[in-house]
């Protein structure tokens, strides 16, 4: 099968490497014949081209791998590929989260495939297993550690006491971080991945945006990590969505776990993503969520599924669901210089210097309160206490 790759960054190079160097009965059926790059990158190497029309109009190219990242021109180029009768596989979560329904529909109309395994969980075979569970089960929860960069930062800060900026730089050097790493540390990358997973799980469309609650790790300090440790907790950046009676919750927030809990043991660039189904129960997957070869591995698995005609689950994304983030009641810790009594007079609060324990508050109210405090110039941090799926009270 002849393949063209759009983009020659970390992941695009990984796909080229796996196809040319892994010598198996499967990878030997694949050949990268063309790599699309910006005009200034065309250096005379036979595969490189800046002429997309030459790829689209080449009848020998069956499949296009999109690893450009970002919304445009990726969105238009994927549509063009599908309309030219070429299957597309992509790792680009930003474009999938916003156009999953459109891509799926256009692929079906043109009798080609659109697969995006590597867009969530890097190398973890997550989408395929989520779809597999859906062949039998209703799923009412998606949860996990969906970002390798932020997990790497929190893990290194916890294990070695390293500073935030130093570890972020290391994550960039290792090829884990997004071009703009604020997507990793402010929760936007997790938002894309949780939207994609939620779309599939509940057969609906959840658009990324300000209506979805997210609080990242930008403000975390060495003292926060130490304070949590002293209280027997390890902090992780979690994404969770729950479905109940046509209403769903969706939240991304730092969450505290005891060292014995599975989430606390997820190290380095690893992700830990899971679902809860009505017969399978809680089912979770652990593996490298970022990095050149793990992500490229998942892309090549999608390519092989197209080649082998292993069809993925057909989803229409047409359930109408209502977002409701007020149903979840949890305990939180907030670190702020502000007087929290002023913001939350009706709640049970316990103050310990700049750290406040807030009992039984709904997710939306605590997020909105901390965002309000941030507007005053303070750099507050919040963390949910033991907010795993097993504690779901929605
Ligand atoms: N920047 C992303 C992460 C890459 O760190 O998880 C994989 O999607």
């Amino acid at each position: 099968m002849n393949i063209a790759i759009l983009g020659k960054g970390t992941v695009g190079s990984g796909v080229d490497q796996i196809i040319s160097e892994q010598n198996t009965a499967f990878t030997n059926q694949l050949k990268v014949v063309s790599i699309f790059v910006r005009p200034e990158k065309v250096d005379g190497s036979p595969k490189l081209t800046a002429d997309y029309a030459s790829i689209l109009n080449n009848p020998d190219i069956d499949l296009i791998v999109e690893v450009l990242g970002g919304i445009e021109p990726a969105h238009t180029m994927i549509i063009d590929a599908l309309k030219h009768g070429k299957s597309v596989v992509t790792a680009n979560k930003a474009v999938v989260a916003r156009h999953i329904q459109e891509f799926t529909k256009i692929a079906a109309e043109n009798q080609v495939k659109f697969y995006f395994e590597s867009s969530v969980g890097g190398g973890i075979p997550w989408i395929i297993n989520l779809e597999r569970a859906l062949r039998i089960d209703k799923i009412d929860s998606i949860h996990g550690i969906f970002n390798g960069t932020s997990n790497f930062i929190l893990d290194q800060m916890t294990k070695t006491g390293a500073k935030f900026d130093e570890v972020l730089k290391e994550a960039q050097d290792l090829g884990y971080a997004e071009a703009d790493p604020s997507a990793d540390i402010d929760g936007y990358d997790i938002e894309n991945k949780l939207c994609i997973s939620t779309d599939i799980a509940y057969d609906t469309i959840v658009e990324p945006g300000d209506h979805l609650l997210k609080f990242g790790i930008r403000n975390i300090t060495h003292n926060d990590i130490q304070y949590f440790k002293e209280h027997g907790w390890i902090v992780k950046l979690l994404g969770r969505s729950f479905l109940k009676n046509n209403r769903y919750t969706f939240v991304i927030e730092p969450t505290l776990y005891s060292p014995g809990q599975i989430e606390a043991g997820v190290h380095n660039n690893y992700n830990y993503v899971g679902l809860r189904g009505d017969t399978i129960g809680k089912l979770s997957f652990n593996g490298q969520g970022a990095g050149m070869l793990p992500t490229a591995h998942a892309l090549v698995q999608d390519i092989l599924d197209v080649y082998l005609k292993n069809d993925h689950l057909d989803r229409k994304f047409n359930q109408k669901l209502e977002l409701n983030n007020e149903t979840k009641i949890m305990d939180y810790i907030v670190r702020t210089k502000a007087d929290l009594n002023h913001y939350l007079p009706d709640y049970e609060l316990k103050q310990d210097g700049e750290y406040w324990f807030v009992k039984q508050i709904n997710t939306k109210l605590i997020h909105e309160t901390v965002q309000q405090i941030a507007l005053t110039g303070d750099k507050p941090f919040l963390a949910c206490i033991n907010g795993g799926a097993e504690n779901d009270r929605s």
Side-chain angles (χ1 to χ4, degrees):
M1 175 185 244
N2 289 329
I3 293 157
I5 304 176
L6 309 184
K8 200 179 184 315
T10 307
V11 178
S13 305
V15 172
D16 198 25
Q17 183 181 324
I18 286 180
I19 291 175
S20 58
E21 293 180 10
Q22 293 300 107
N23 184 17
T24 73
F26 295 93
T27 54
N28 288 344
Q29 305 306 312
L30 310 177
K31 188 170 176 204
V32 176
V33 296
S34 195
I35 301 178
F36 173 84
V37 290
R38 287 196 299 270
E40 63 272 23
K41 299 273 180 195
V42 177
D43 62 2
S45 321
K47 285 187 206 168
L48 296 189
T49 177
D51 178 13
Y52 190 37
S54 72
I55 293 175
L56 290 176
N57 295 321
N58 182 345
D60 294 334
I61 293 178
D62 310 295
L63 181 145
I64 289 180
V65 177
E66 187 275 310
V67 281
L68 295 165
I71 315 287
E72 288 295 351
H75 167 245
T76 305
M77 292 174 89
I78 290 172
I79 300 278
D80 285 346
L82 297 171
K83 289 189 171 167
H84 278 79
K86 310 209 186 284
S87 292
V88 173
V89 309
T90 180
N92 181 344
K93 51 258 163 165
V95 81
V96 177
R98 284 156 187 85
H99 298 285
I100 192 171
Q101 195 172 28
E102 181 186 19
F103 293 149
T104 304
K105 182 165 173 281
I106 294 175
E109 283 165 5
N110 290 276
Q111 290 162 12
V112 291
K113 301 299 174 192
F114 174 72
Y115 295 159
F116 44 88
E117 177 62 71
S118 56
S119 67
V120 186
I124 300 174
W126 161 240
I127 302 286
I128 195 81
N129 280 299
L130 172 59
E131 292 179 344
R132 208 175 148 78
L134 283 161
R135 298 192 301 188
I136 298 173
D137 273 14
K138 284 195 178 64
I139 289 177
D140 71 350
S141 163
I142 298 290
H143 51 266
I145 297 168
F146 286 90
N147 183 267
T149 302
S150 54
N151 198 60
F152 182 79
I153 293 172
L154 293 175
D155 192 46
Q156 292 297 313
M157 285 178 81
T158 304
K159 285 200 296 218
T160 70
K163 294 214 172 66
F164 187 99
D165 291 343
E166 290 164 9
V167 199
L168 171 58
K169 168 82 177 47
E170 209 182 321
Q172 286 173 302
D173 292 345
L174 287 164
Y176 301 157
E178 297 301 298
D180 175 1
S182 56
D184 295 300
I185 62 180
D186 293 328
Y188 295 103
D189 180 74
I190 302 179
E191 179 181 46
N192 289 331
K193 293 166 176 172
L194 191 55
C195 281
I196 295 168
S197 306
T198 302
D199 290 348
I200 297 169
Y202 312 152
D203 202 12
T204 192
I205 291 294
V206 179
E207 298 278 353
D210 288 344
H211 56 293
L212 301 176
L213 298 178
K214 51 196 163 287
F215 193 90
I217 58 164
R218 178 179 290 273
N219 291 350
I220 197 163
T221 63
H222 176 68
N223 286 349
D224 295 336
I225 301 258
Q226 280 308 115
Y227 188 82
F228 298 145
K229 258 193 196 174
E230 281 159 22
H231 286 77
W233 288 314
I234 286 171
V235 62
K236 295 288 173 188
L237 185 54
L238 259 280
R240 291 179 273 135
S241 83
F242 296 101
L243 177 65
K244 194 172 183 184
N245 303 333
N246 285 335
R247 301 174 101 196
Y248 70 98
T249 62
F250 187 111
V251 63
I252 294 156
E253 62 189 4
T255 303
L256 301 174
Y257 291 94
S258 312
Q261 289 180 276
I262 295 178
E263 288 85 345
V266 179
H267 298 296
N268 296 317
N269 60 328
Y270 277 63
N271 283 186
Y272 171 75
V273 293
L275 58 86
R276 188 174 61 196
D278 51 359
T279 70
I280 191 70
K282 196 177 168 195
L283 177 67
S284 304
F285 301 85
N286 178 229
Q288 290 189 70
M292 177 169 91
L293 291 176
T295 311
H297 177 109
L299 279 157
V300 177
Q301 292 286 11
D302 269 351
I303 297 171
L304 287 170
D305 276 357
V306 176
Y307 174 69
L308 297 167
K309 299 189 173 27
N310 291 340
D311 287 350
H312 291 193
L313 190 72
D314 186 19
R315 294 255 100 178
K316 298 284 183 268
F317 308 105
N318 53 11
Q319 296 286 342
K320 297 270 175 272
L321 304 176
E322 189 192 333
L323 175 66
N324 185 350
N325 278 320
E326 290 181 28
T327 52
K328 284 197 69 67
I329 310 289
M330 306 297 291
D331 294 345
Y332 282 83
I333 289 196
V334 176
R335 191 254 304 136
T336 176
K337 291 185 169 49
D339 179 0
L340 214 52
N341 288 304
H342 166 74
Y343 290 90
L344 297 170
D346 301 330
Y347 285 83
E348 190 187 330
L349 307 175
K350 199 174 116 211
Q351 186 180 2
D352 180 15
E354 288 189 0
Y355 294 92
W356 298 75
F357 290 72
V358 187
K359 296 285 283 178
Q360 298 293 289
I361 186 164
N362 83 61
T363 314
K364 190 160 184 256
L365 180 59
I366 192 73
H367 276 245
E368 285 174 354
T369 303
V370 172
Q371 301 294 2
Q372 227 181 318
I373 292 172
L375 294 177
T376 67
D378 189 15
K379 292 191 172 162
F381 190 72
L382 76 72
C384 179
I385 300 176
N386 286 348
E390 58 278 22
N391 295 328
D392 173 28
R393 279 172 251 142
S394 63

